[in-house]
Amino acid sequence: MNSKGICILGATGTIGVNTLDVLARHPQRYHVVALSANSNVEKLVEQCLSVQPAYAVMVEEDAATQLEEKLKEKSCPTKVLSGKQALETIASLPEVDYVMAAIVGAAGLLPNLAAAEAGKRVMLANKESLVMSGKLFMDAIHNNRHKGAELLPIDSEHNAIFQSMPPLVNGDQQKAGVEKILLTASGGPFRTRDVATLNKVTPEQAVAHPNWVMGQKISVDSATMMNKGLEVIEACWLFDVPENKIQVVIHPQSMIHSMVSYNDGSVLAQLGNPDMRTPIAYALGYPERIASGVKALDIFEVARLDFEKPDFERCRCLQLAYDAHRLGGNATIALNAANEIAVEAFLNKKIRFTDIPLVIEKALEQAPAGTSAKINDILAQDLTSREYAKESVARLN
Ligand code: NAD
Ligand code: MG
């Protein structure tokens, strides 16, 4: 078997580190061609010394200079590039077969599109890019299928849905008999906390997720349930279903990663320990299965599985995401942009936890109706919504 060339966008993050862990178990099957990070020099040096990629991208220029010097000291042959454009360069290198799209936030959009256009297998963790430009991104995958472009979801829920849908009918839910997607959610750290005290939540409490270890932004998104909101929109695009076919199910044990309900009464689910190496290994090996290092699920230890309906009053952000998707593409860009600004402001203690949905709601009011089809219009709407959200943050501060 030919060894596959891998590019990891966002190598120093939680998903990036887990991807390197799975790859290290299969040295004959894969080799790392390129790694990227925003500014974490120490971690990228360590990763470059370990896997010796041909290229490493550090988006921030000063950090790139430091990386270059440190790698030279250790005689590491990796070529260092810097700047946002370099992310697109490594995502489309001819020697790259698979791209792990694991940058957090809107910054992932252009490199992910470049990977699709270059005909890569895109292993998509960066849900924000689908929320911003679902149609454009899915079209880029479909239009470049002849070059080898394909999309495999890394988000554990979407990976579970993908596994629970027969591939031959993907894209034709009518024939497949798909009635509903049951998108599971742990409910986050404040599932049972008194709603009246949510305004007192600290960033430290919000990032402490009960079941998953994740980056700061997605951890706050899980606490507000915006993560589930973004995932509803992500599922609509990935599986070509309207939002009213997606039922969010609170499942505190996080053992079932999502389910698909069929018209004959069957419900298919994917279960496993909550560890991102399972979806990562699935996407890397597909259609084969490869070892991931994840401990087998002991169903006797799990013993019980609980399910609840979401409380939309507690989960205001989830409601806003459903509303935004119904409104159209400009609204989902505003939703994502304002959420990124609000989460950052909350982490920097500028606004309260309960202010996050207020900032997003204001940005949704500003977003024009309809959907932008061109990348420049999408990026412009993203910038406008960010400015608007920053003004809301300043007013609340
Ligand atoms: P993280 O914060 O741990 O890592 C983010 C990575 O992106 C880092 O390598 C960082 O250097 C890079 N980065 C940050 N800002 C950047 C910028 N402006 N330009 C270029 N690179 C930048 O995040 P994570 O938890 O690994 O999540 C990554 C993505 O995967 C997110 O979109 C998240 O929603 C999604 N995701 C994560 C998990 C999880 O379990 N961690 C699960 C499902 C989906
Ligand atoms: Mg998820």
Side-chain angles (χ1 to χ4, degrees):
M1 174 195 271
N2 280 344
S3 167
K4 298 286 184 197
I6 311 291
C7 166
I8 308 179
L9 300 170
T12 53
T14 318
I15 296 290
V17 168
N18 276 310
T19 305
L20 285 167
D21 180 286
V22 176
L23 291 173
R25 295 165 196 277
H26 305 278
Q28 308 300 326
R29 260 184 112 111
Y30 310 103
H31 61 282
V32 179
V33 176
L35 297 175
S36 90
N38 196 32
S39 59
N40 188 342
V41 178
E42 291 308 316
K43 192 128 198 176
L44 199 56
V45 168
E46 182 194 312
Q47 294 179 337
C48 286
L49 293 177
S50 160
V51 297
Q52 308 248 327
Y55 300 89
V57 171
M58 196 53 115
V59 177
E60 288 185 8
E61 216 167 293
D62 289 350
T65 311
Q66 285 179 43
L67 176 71
E68 200 162 20
E69 281 165 10
K70 295 202 177 195
L71 291 181
K72 211 166 168 191
E73 265 170 37
K74 306 267 183 190
S75 308
C76 177
T78 301
K79 187 172 170 163
V80 176
L81 308 173
S82 79
K84 289 183 194 166
Q85 178 67 40
L87 296 171
E88 294 172 53
T89 307
I90 57 165
S92 39
L93 288 167
E95 58 269 46
V96 165
D97 299 293
Y98 298 174
V99 174
M100 172 54 75
I103 288 173
V104 60
L109 175 58
L110 291 177
N112 297 351
L113 272 174
E117 279 157 12
K120 309 302 183 195
R121 171 178 291 191
V122 183
M123 305 184 287
L124 189 73
N126 173 248
K127 59 193 93 187
E128 294 91 346
S129 57
L130 265 188
V131 171
M132 288 175 76
S133 67
K135 169 136 182 50
L136 192 81
F137 191 74
M138 295 309 288
D139 283 351
I141 294 285
H142 292 305
N143 296 340
N144 291 287
R145 282 219 187 279
H146 63 288
K147 291 192 215 162
E150 59 182 337
L151 185 53
L152 283 149
I154 294 296
D155 217 337
S156 57
E157 296 77 3
H158 306 74
N159 192 273
I161 296 163
F162 187 88
Q163 292 195 42
S164 306
M165 272 194 192
L168 74 155
V169 287
N170 259 347
D172 192 348
Q173 267 72 18
Q174 288 285 304
K175 260 194 217 152
V178 173
E179 289 272 293
K180 235 180 186 143
I181 287 175
L182 303 170
L183 187 71
T184 57
S186 70
F190 310 130
R191 183 175 58 89
T192 55
R193 183 173 166 140
D194 179 4
V195 182
T197 68
L198 283 176
N199 58 356
K200 301 265 180 335
V201 162
T202 64
E204 293 73 24
Q205 291 168 335
V207 299
H209 196 277
N211 305 341
W212 297 92
V213 180
M214 307 180 286
Q216 285 208 320
K217 191 254 176 186
I218 184 176
S219 298
V220 177
D221 285 348
S222 299
T224 60
M225 289 287 282
M226 178 53 91
N227 184 48
K228 212 45 57 183
L230 299 176
E231 289 183 359
V232 168
I233 301 171
E234 184 185 10
C236 289
W237 286 114
L238 282 173
F239 305 107
D240 194 19
V241 292
E243 72 279 342
N244 62 9
K245 282 217 169 193
I246 299 180
Q247 169 72 57
V248 172
V249 180
I250 308 282
H251 164 47
Q253 291 91 355
S254 295
M255 291 298 166
I256 295 181
H257 300 307
S258 278
M259 301 171 256
V260 180
S261 175
Y262 291 86
N263 60 4
D264 63 358
S266 303
V267 176
L268 300 191
Q270 186 256 358
L271 287 78
N273 281 313
D275 187 321
M276 290 307 291
R277 290 177 300 173
T278 295
I280 291 168
Y282 183 84
L284 280 168
Y286 182 80
E288 290 174 36
R289 291 204 185 243
I290 60 171
S292 65
V294 176
K295 205 170 114 231
L297 180 67
D298 181 345
I299 47 171
F300 300 108
E301 207 178 288
V302 178
R304 61 178 276 183
L305 300 169
D306 295 311
F307 306 102
E308 295 161 19
K309 283 193 175 153
D311 166 0
F312 282 94
E313 204 191 317
R314 176 185 288 277
C315 315
R316 185 81 196 104
C317 287
L318 179 60
Q319 182 66 57
L320 290 174
Y322 270 103
D323 294 346
H325 190 64
R326 237 173 265 124
L327 286 168
N330 291 329
T332 58
I333 296 169
L335 177 93
N336 179 64
N339 181 53
E340 285 190 31
I341 298 294
V343 169
E344 199 188 336
F346 167 68
L347 285 170
N348 293 326
K349 304 197 170 165
K350 289 195 178 140
I351 58 170
R352 292 175 303 180
F353 184 73
T354 41
D355 290 334
I356 296 174
L358 301 181
V359 173
I360 299 165
E361 209 167 345
K362 280 273 166 218
L364 285 179
E365 283 167 17
Q366 174 272 336
T371 301
S372 301
K374 296 204 185 93
I375 186 69
N376 286 343
D377 296 339
I378 290 170
L379 295 174
Q381 180 60 48
D382 176 62
L383 276 183
T384 309
S385 297
R386 274 169 206 272
E387 288 310 314
Y388 206 83
K390 281 180 194 161
E391 284 168 25
S392 300
V393 165
R395 272 197 297 275
L396 287 162
N397 200 354

